[in-house]
Amino acid sequence: MPAPSSGLYKETYERDSCGFGLIASLDDAPSHWLVHTAISSLNRLTHRGAIAADGKTGDGCGLLLKRPESFLRAVAAEAGIYLRGRFAAGLVFLSRESGEAAAARATLAAALARQGLEVAGWRVLPVETEACGADALRSLPRIEQLFVNCPTAELDEAAFNRRLFMARRFAEKARERDPLFYVPSLSASIIVYKGMVMPQHLVQFYPDLADARLESSVAVFHQRFSTNTLPQWRLAHPYRYLAHNGEINTIQCNRNWATARGPLLRSALLPQLQEVLPLVSLSGSDSQSLDNMLEVLLMGGLDALHAMRLLMPPAWHGLDAIDPELRAFYEYYSVHMEPWDGPAGVVLTDGRYALCTLDRNGLRPARFCITANRCLTVASETGVWDYPPEEVVRQGKLGPGDMIALDLKTGVLLSSQDIDQLLKSRHPYKSWLKKGVRYLESDLVDPRLAAEPMDRATLSLYQKMFNVTQEERDDIIRVLAQDENEAVGSMGDDTPLPVLSHQVRSLYDYFRQQFAQVTNPPIDPLRESIVMSLQTQIGPECNIFEPAPEHARQVVLGSPILSQRKLRQILAIEEVTHEFIDLQYPPGEGLRAAIVRMCAQAESAVREGKLVLLLSDRYLVKGRIPAHALLVTAAVHQHLVRTGLRCKCNLLVETGTAREPHHFACLIGYGATAVYPYMAYQVLFEMMRGGRVKLDFAARLELGRSYRAGVRKGLFKIMSKMGISTISSYRSAQLFEIVGLADEVVRLCFTGTESRVQGADFADLEADALALARLAWNPREAIAQGGLLKYMHGGEYHMYNPDVIAALQAAVISGDPAHYREFAQLVNSRPPSTFRDLLALRTAARAIPLSEVEPAGAILARFDGAGMSLGALSPEAHEALAIAMNRLGARSNSGEGGEDPARYRTEKNSKIKQVASGRFGVTPEYLINAEVLQIKIAQGAKPGEGGQLPGHKVNDMIATLRFARPGVGLISPPPHHDIYSIEDLAQLIFDLKQVNPTALVSVRLVAEPGVGTVAAGVAKAYADLITISGYDGGTGASPLSSIKYAGTPWELGLAETHQTLRINDLRHRVRLQADGGLKTGLDVVKAAIIGAESFGFGSAPMVALGCKYLRICHLNNCTTGVATQHNVLRSKYFTGLPEMVINYFRFVAEEVREILASLGVRGLAEIIGRTEYLEARPGVTPKQRKLDLTPILSSAGLAADAPQFCAVASNAPFDKGELAERMVRDLLPAIEGKRGGEWSYALSNFNRSIGARLSGEIARRWGNYAMEDAPITVRCTGHAGQSFGVWNAGGLHLYLEGDANDYVGKGMAAGRIVLRHPRRAPFVARHTVIMGNTCLYGATGGELYAAGVAGERFAVRNSGAVAVIEGAGDHCCEYMTGGAVCVLGRTGVNFGAGFTGGFAYVLDLERNFVDRYNHELIDISRIHPEAMQSHVQHLEGLLERHVTATGSSWAEEIRGDLRTFLPKFWVVKPKAASIDSLIDSLRRAA
Amino acid sequence: MADKNLQFLDIPRSDPPKTAVEARVRDFREIYAPYDAATAAQQAGRCIACGNPFCEWKCPVHNYIPNWLKLIEEGNLFEAAELSHKTNSLPEVCGRICPQDRLCEGACTLNDGLGAVSIGAIEKYITDEALRRGWKPDMSNVQPAGRRVAIVGAGPAGLACADILVRNGVQPVVFDRYARIGGLLTFGIPPFKLEKQVMEKRREIMEGMGVEFRLSCDVGRDLPFGDLLGQYDAVFLGMGTYAPVKGGFAGEDLPGVYEALPYLISNINHELEFPGAAQALISLRGRRVVVLGGGDTAMDCNRTAVRQGAESVTCTYRRDEGNMPGSHRDYKNSREEGVEFLFNRQPIEIVGAERVEGVKLVETHLGAADARGRRLPQPVAGSEEILPADAVIIAFGFLPSPPSWLNEHHVRLHASGRVRVSAGAANAFQTTNPRVFAGGDMVRGSDLVVTAVFEGREAARGILNYLAVA
């Protein structure tokens, strides 16, 4: 079953996500009821898991129980096992082969014996295999229960557990090669039952769980959604202590440092610890590794509260208001442990505590309630079991960085504050730090930017040696310093991959940044920077188990980018001893040998006690060449990790190779502690001296600081792309894919990094360095001009060079096939620039006459336009594309910018409607006017980032369509705030299929290692279409570094996806599309052969319409009128016609037909996935010839007749939404007759997206608003599932008495949603959470009234809805561009980040809102009754409607005494808007 | 400025002011005034810095146009001059006489109705102004390579070759049969397009760089070619094409019929006040002049004749206006200055008893395209007419005029007379004699100045490679 290694699929890519929960008795009173309730709750989370192709195998679920002692004694006795007073029990997975199983038992017994423990007996656990699906049965282990007696009463429970742990570790090490041997738990405190079954079958599978004698006081439960269909039994949660929902984005880094740190760990409690290294599993799931680390910390003597706070600290760097003692606690430990950052929600129990915690971003939902029977329930959703509303004593949610813990010993429920209070006072951390830590002054003004400025000749030498071009000086380095930002550009990267290039390219160019998509989200470095930090320490790491003042001896830097002064300061500190390692070597030595020598030098220096290794290429010597700093940094880091020395030293890199953020990210990602980029400073200094940097005097003095500020933003962006918040969690995380380096390089320097196609080896890299050195030492040679960013004669090849553009335009204007052939010839015979250029068609087959090939129409139907928004494109260009595609029978894509309703149902309608993270103009009517709904997860040009539309492109029309304000730039958040994991995507797909059941849902991904596995998950989330974009896709505006360094070629991504889907038996369920740089019929044919059945085109049809690839789309001055909103340019200079696009696509289709004929096949379908039609052809350059592209052509070991393309009409969800269908049946006559009326329904948490089916039916008949005058009222009770009232249309009024989960009113266009707590609820409504996270996300209108508190990110990207709530979580009103939000209570932090339109009222009783709002774009003011009469009236009106709708007693109270409350309200508005205009604009919108 | 990005819309293209027609036809001075710094910056700022610089792509020497436009916009004149010289040895010349409308400016993205950036005028401004302010090429890093190369011909190819060689430490010695450098730049192109002090300034600069000129020395006559081969490490030939294309019709030898080049040279010699020039001057004052041909040389003849005081100047061309091969700018200037154009007219005979009395023309229409895509003019039967004339100048272009001594030194030619280079040779522009390189018109046939510059530079790189001067 595991994939053959020849292809691109790897099991290690597996990602998972899930639903989780915890039920605990406050009194630690065991009961079977609790176990039973936990199981039933698990069952109610089925929609958060996934089901395999066999329809029965779940991705795994399980229970972690505080040990049910009496039950275990009973079953042991029945099995004839004698138990002593203290015993342990555990579950053991064994090989099904009895010899192997016996050997494993013996190993374990022996290991236990060595710890002085005795096996009491083995109980063959009763299991019912009927409960398993076929896939699960295939991998089912033999499951036994092991009982171990504690030999002596002197061993307490903790010591006994430690011995059990050591015994298990030894046994695990001994049985490393046994794939099935696994011990889910072996403890005196807890026990685990888990398996690869669906929750509903768990009890059936383990009859123990149904046994009424099985009583426990704590149950942790978990339901898993794995992205592929080959999950393993051992990977079901819970692990030994915890169950986890989400991903650990930092896992690579954490694992690497766990390895590096292992040798430092010493605990008196675990004398043999060093014998059981590594402590953390380096493969398997991230959660498993986290559990491993947690276990080590617990065994080493920390308690669960301390251990979890250390592993997943809240964001403390950026919070000014934090208690200094508490800050000291976190800061002290930050030296010794980098955060294991999520997105993560963790529930755990070790028998002493039952706790739940969220990481700093709080991206996973966790709701809790305490019921009258003194029971605490925490779960991903509210309403997982049916407690009567009047019995809920208290309910709430966990926010970012929150922890809630039940101390089972004392029965005390601890809040985050209680826990922090406890932890910070254990040691005098603050005074330790005060004595030990040296904070280096940050040098704001540094006139000596380059204290030793190079003369021109020297600078020229260095620039040539390190390949600095004029282009880089001007367009990259200068911009970083001048704008304190990365340079922005547009269109895509159309240059060859570095391994294919004929030029000497930077080693950094071979490294592609990894990014989060679907299974975990990027985070938002722009709007949520409070969670981010670059703080870097220099000093030795110490043993975490022995807190001591001397362990706080550190030099603390605000950032890892050093100025010269700072480097000098560090080196001058007495106790900071350093070793200078010269990166240069004599060419005769050989690059590889030189690196090995430098590693040895580093090792002996650290052994001598040197604290800092300074790797430097600062002092060039003729006759020697510099080994690239990245190669040596990475190799030294790896070497020191292997020798157990890494944590004793710090790597400082003084290099001319590092100039832009990507370079720093590479160096740090491979282990550098800090970097001193002297070359960049020298260049800046020279440009300043020469007057090239135009700044006033003061700014010139701060040039270095400005440059570092620019780099810092870039680093934040790169980290956030992977969802990583702190540089310490990024350091050595190796979050790159290498494209084009040989294995020998990867093995020595970049061990463990993905590198799939070989390429340049040491000899090639040395040849590059020698070539540069030859130029560098030749004083007559000037520095190169460049050509990497823009076409330049003699510079890098560009696939959209002027010849190509001119030829294509000549062809589409003339309509002459001969001209098209010239164009196709230019493209198809270009120097190899993409991997497909090195793959040739096998022409052995017998050609057939062209007439026998399927008609062009059949091919055209497979062509889609890539998503290009109206906004990026002019309306003329956007409409011309739509008309052309519709006439061709193909599909155009609206892009992320809404669409004018006047275009619906005409030939200007875009058949594909995009749903991206900004949700601009996404309304029910928009969604029903589509054949395909595309969720843009990532964009090839800039995966991991949101779109941006510069303000000057937002004219009145664009603003109207996007529900935004003219002239204000629009940024889409990096993540979709409703997709933080794969089950969230499944939910969004469900939302879309509910509102428009006839549309296909497409998900757009970008190629990176593991994209195939993500795609498998997407297929299991019921998407119908998956697009794989290459790195070379276009963009209307993006930082240049994103265009250049993120994403990989689609050839790799498509092949991996095709192979993975086939191996997982999912290929027939989804359509697969290739997208990125497609230009000719040959491109189409090759993409089909690699596995695509559908093809996306972006740039080429734009060029057909007149675009000349000017790369100025972001400036709104496109002279061809294609990518501008400027009236004159559009009306006078746009010359594109639909016919040109039609000509282009017809030409391409005809070329496809000709190639098919030459291959002897009659239709495109015959070659999809048939890689035997392609063969690798030798490259032109030495590097090209070393590439190995066979993984792209692998059949993955499957027969050719296994499905190669989609065979179903649509991928129907498991959840049939029966209640929603019933509602449609009930209400359709009223909708059709526009009659109004009132209906009632009871809801449970699994009734998801309630309202969407109705809104779709309404929008289909009446549009967004036309039914508002005859509204339908639907009254619901209970716990609403996710997405209550999603895409709500005008005329639908939803009332809920109860509470709701995440995404209430998401994408609401009109109508009304009202939520109130049950009338009988005993808690205080206004302090109690009533709905989950991300409610009103992307709403464009309508009203929402909720008498309770909303979760995190309420009204993100709201652009028109009016809402009244009584409290909110963090990040409320983020990215808001319109509408009004009234919060009658406390809000979380970061209120109004990115808020550019609309306004809010916030009632601030505690008078601390000032600390809680984001000051960047908004200001706040008091309401003065006299001067602001309209606001007073407006607020009164809101209160009145809120009271009428919800019956809120709190609002009633405020209204009744408005004079008292009014001074406590703030009006929040964008700085740019005048206070008087606010209400007017709201009225106009309404 | 409201929006820098829309400068090209807000500020129209503005060429440097031209001298009024009445004034300019009275002398031979250049007709375009220089830009001032502010205008140059503003006009340069119209460049939108395309990702696909079509201007650079179309430019035969691939000037870094957007980059030096940006430098000028930002006021970094000397850096712009440095950069401009990186790709072009004679930028101030090309700025004046390149047919920009067919090259960079024609390809400029803004040329679709928005008004191309005035690249040529700015190119001219950069070097003129930089030199005026004392800029000189930076030779501080040049280390002598101990090699000497002879260059035959001080025209654009030879000068460009010398420029690259001297910057790489190789000593160039340039021979020319005339007393001034420049070749056709000095003796062919009339001063109203390129004033002669421009070349004088260039000579001064090049001599300052270390280039040695041996002028008034006709290699092959005054100095045997073999001597050069004996005394130098390599030789570059950049001798141009001087054989005029003949009309091949009756009456070409009649008095009053002139070849274009001797006509232009006589005028320039006169303007330069060379000894004896007055006697040799072909003056067309008071004549009715007919110029045959539609290229740049024809325009030069037209305008020279106007300035000499011809009674009328009529220019005939066998294709139509849109198919004229030369610079559109020169055509426009000719018209402004009073030249009459007759399109679709092919001369078939020059008539006259003793001397020229007229030209017999036949009307043409454009027929099918030839192999190069140019439509061939077809005579219309019965449309002959006679255009009266006192003087006729034939400007049909030039053919290769290889010196006879090439063969004995194993420098082989194409059948057309062009020198054969790079055929199987290891180094660019190497002839069949490995020590002899050639470039410019004598290699590619009569072409633009800028292509000659390009070939001279490339040949210099071939020579450096051959001499192993890395």
Side-chain angles (χ1 to χ4, degrees), chain A residues 573-881:
Chain A
I573 296 170
E574 198 179 330
E575 56 268 39
V576 179
T577 53
H578 79 272
E579 171 90 356
F580 182 88
I581 299 180
D582 189 350
L583 293 170
Q584 294 177 95
Y585 68 99
E589 184 182 12
L591 178 54
R592 189 177 198 289
I595 295 172
V596 170
R597 171 175 56 74
M598 293 171 202
C599 288
Q601 186 190 349
E603 180 183 341
S604 59
V606 180
R607 290 201 192 280
E608 285 164 23
K610 298 272 172 66
L611 187 59
V612 163
L613 302 176
L614 179 63
L615 310 180
S616 174
D617 53 27
R618 171 66 183 80
Y619 305 97
L620 294 179
V621 178
K622 196 163 185 175
R624 290 162 73 85
I625 52 175
H628 197 283
L630 179 58
L631 290 174
V632 183
T633 303
V636 167
H637 172 79
Q638 294 279 358
H639 182 74
L640 295 176
V641 169
R642 276 194 293 270
T643 47
L645 299 168
R646 178 61 184 90
C647 291
K648 295 187 175 167
C649 67
N650 303 97
L651 300 183
L652 301 191
V653 186
E654 177 180 43
T655 179
T657 61
R659 277 101 60 180
E660 55 175 304
H662 175 70
H663 303 163
F664 297 100
C666 289
L667 287 166
I668 295 167
Y670 284 97
T673 307
V675 182
Y676 168 52
Y678 66 85
M679 186 84 240
Y681 295 130
Q682 293 285 356
V683 166
L684 283 171
F685 187 80
E686 200 241 4
M687 282 198 280
M688 182 169 75
R689 204 169 41 184
R692 294 305 317 283
V693 186
K694 300 277 182 226
L695 291 170
D696 60 33
F697 180 73
R700 288 220 303 262
L701 290 180
E702 291 189 29
L703 203 55
R705 185 203 57 79
S706 306
Y707 165 77
R708 286 189 293 279
V711 172
R712 191 160 58 234
K713 280 187 201 150
L715 274 178
F716 275 151
K717 190 199 67 196
I718 294 168
M719 286 155 53
S720 62
K721 231 178 254 188
M722 251 330 272
I724 290 178
S725 310
T726 66
I727 196 79
S728 56
S729 296
Y730 189 80
R731 188 167 291 116
S732 93
Q734 308 189 185
L735 293 170
F736 298 91
E737 179 189 10
I738 293 172
V739 180
L741 290 181
D743 275 355
E744 65 164 6
V745 179
V746 177
R747 268 199 307 272
L748 183 68
C749 306
F750 309 110
T751 327
T753 309
E754 287 294 345
S755 170
R756 304 184 284 184
V757 289
Q758 302 291 325
D761 57 18
F762 282 118
D764 296 314
L765 297 177
E766 183 165 286
D768 281 354
L770 279 168
L772 292 176
R774 260 196 305 277
L775 291 179
W777 291 105
N778 181 348
R780 291 187 301 272
E781 290 288 344
I783 79 166
Q785 196 63 31
L788 211 48
L789 304 176
K790 295 180 175 180
Y791 168 84
M792 200 168 271
H793 179 78
E796 186 56 283
Y797 181 79
H798 283 258
M799 288 181 262
Y800 269 118
N801 60 46
D803 283 318
V804 170
I805 300 279
L808 174 55
Q809 293 183 341
V812 300
I813 291 169
S814 68
D816 180 351
H819 282 150
Y820 175 79
R821 274 192 289 275
E822 278 171 33
F823 158 75
Q825 172 69 17
L826 275 176
V827 173
N828 293 341
S829 60
R830 67 189 169 204
S833 305
T834 63
F835 284 154
R836 62 184 175 279
D837 296 345
L838 288 176
L839 300 173
L841 294 176
R842 274 187 210 267
T843 46
R846 238 196 7 233
I848 57 169
L850 191 58
S851 57
E852 289 180 26
V853 178
E854 65 183 348
I859 294 161
L860 288 165
R862 297 175 180 274
F863 292 173
D864 283 353
M868 293 182 284
S869 73
L870 176 61
L873 296 193
S874 66
E876 291 76 13
H878 201 264
E879 288 174 16
L881 271 178

Side-chain angles (χ1 to χ4, degrees), chain A residues 692 780 790 793 800 1110 1117, chain B residues 5 49 51-52 56 79 470:
Chain A
R692 294 305 317 283
R780 291 187 301 272
K790 295 180 175 180
H793 179 78
Y800 269 118
L1110 307 179
N1117 62 351
Chain B
N5 299 321
N52 256 345
E56 178 187 333
E79 271 190 74

Side-chain angles (χ1 to χ4, degrees), chain A residues 1284-1315:
Chain A
F1284 181 69
V1286 66
W1287 325 122
N1288 206 64
L1292 184 59
H1293 290 188
L1294 293 172
Y1295 287 77
L1296 173 67
E1297 182 174 335
D1299 61 2
N1301 279 295
D1302 297 347
Y1303 319 137
V1304 173
K1306 184 174 75 175
M1308 180 184 202
R1312 181 184 294 171
I1313 298 173
V1314 177
L1315 287 81

